């Protein structure tokens, strides 16, 4: 075919920059585990405070206690799922970091070089780490959860299963 190139959509795709693993920049399992512990504590402290408030509400009134439990349940879901998602999607130098990752000097980066936005962070944190691993762990207790978090121990590029699914790496910041 020697005619003109048809308009739109017929050009060769533009190559996206791909992540090249440098073993010196990958975050190991220990520092990832430490960041997860810090993040878990950050999420747990408000929950403990709310539970203490609810115990006080139950002492005052059963109705107030039941309402407190409903508020606690909703607050826990919003905070647990929103914490990492909103922090990972921050603009600027802390993109890809929760406060735990930030304290330990690591960050999650996308293999295509793009910054984390709310949708990609929600896919990683809520859909894969929260729902998929959670549902699989309810069918086969704890095994999917352990596999996901222990996978970096034997993976050449220190990636967990959720990192592979969203094509990301955790590196030193």
């Amino acid at each position: 075919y020697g005619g003109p190139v048809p308009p739109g959509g017929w050009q060769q795709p533009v190559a996206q920059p791909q992540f090249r693993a440098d073993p010196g920049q990958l975050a190991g399992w220990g520092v990832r585990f430490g960041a997860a512990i810090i993040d878990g504590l950050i999420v747990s402290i408000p929950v403990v405070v709310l539970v203490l408030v609810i115990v006080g509400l139950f002492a005052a009134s059963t109705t107030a206690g039941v309402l407190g439990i409903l508020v606690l349940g909703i607050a826990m879901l919003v905070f647990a799922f929103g914490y990492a998602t909103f922090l990972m999607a921050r603009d600027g130098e802390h993109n890809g970091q929760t406060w735990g990752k930030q304290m330990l000097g690591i960050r999650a980066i996308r293999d295509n070089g793009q910054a984390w936005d709310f949708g990609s962070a929600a896919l990683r944190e809520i859909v894969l780490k929260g729902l998929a691993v959670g549902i699989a762990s309810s069918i086969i207790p704890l095994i999917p959860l352990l596999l996901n978090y222990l996978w970096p121990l034997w993976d050449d590029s220190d990636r967990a299963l959720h990192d592979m699914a969203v094509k990301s790496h955790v590196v030193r910041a």
Side-chain angles (χ1 to χ4, degrees):
Y1 175 72
V5 175
W10 293 92
Q11 293 83 14
Q12 290 291 323
V14 177
Q16 294 290 328
Q18 295 296 314
F19 176 78
R20 298 284 186 253
D22 174 8
Q25 77 183 53
L26 293 173
W29 183 83
V31 71
R32 290 177 65 141
F33 180 71
I37 294 293
I38 292 169
D39 288 332
L41 288 172
I42 290 170
V43 170
S44 298
I45 289 171
V47 170
V48 169
V49 170
L50 284 174
V51 166
L52 293 175
V53 168
I54 288 172
V55 168
L57 289 174
F58 261 120
S61 161
T62 305
T63 305
V66 170
L67 287 174
I69 287 175
L70 290 173
V71 169
L72 173 67
I74 292 169
M76 282 175 40
L77 287 173
V78 168
F79 193 66
F81 285 128
Y83 166 78
T85 304
F86 284 106
L87 289 176
M88 293 274 296
R90 290 183 287 179
D91 289 331
E93 67 178 307
H94 296 300
N95 184 267
Q97 290 181 310
T98 59
W99 288 330
K101 285 182 178 71
Q102 190 174 331
M103 285 181 202
L104 295 183
I106 61 175
R107 83 174 57 254
I109 60 169
R110 296 172 69 189
D111 290 354
N112 64 9
Q114 296 176 345
W116 292 96
D117 57 12
F118 182 81
S120 58
L123 175 65
R124 182 180 194 265
E125 299 298 326
I126 296 173
V127 175
L128 292 172
K129 287 173 73 174
L131 296 176
V133 171
I135 290 170
S137 289
S138 70
I139 297 168
I140 308 167
L142 291 181
I143 293 173
L145 181 70
L146 289 172
L147 277 176
N148 183 46
Y149 285 102
L150 294 177
W151 201 270
L153 288 172
W154 55 81
D155 184 69
D156 290 339
S157 48
D158 293 326
R159 296 196 310 170
L161 296 175
H162 62 267
D163 291 319
M164 291 179 202
V166 295
K167 297 183 175 120
S168 67
H169 283 78
V170 178
V171 298
R172 299 179 191 279

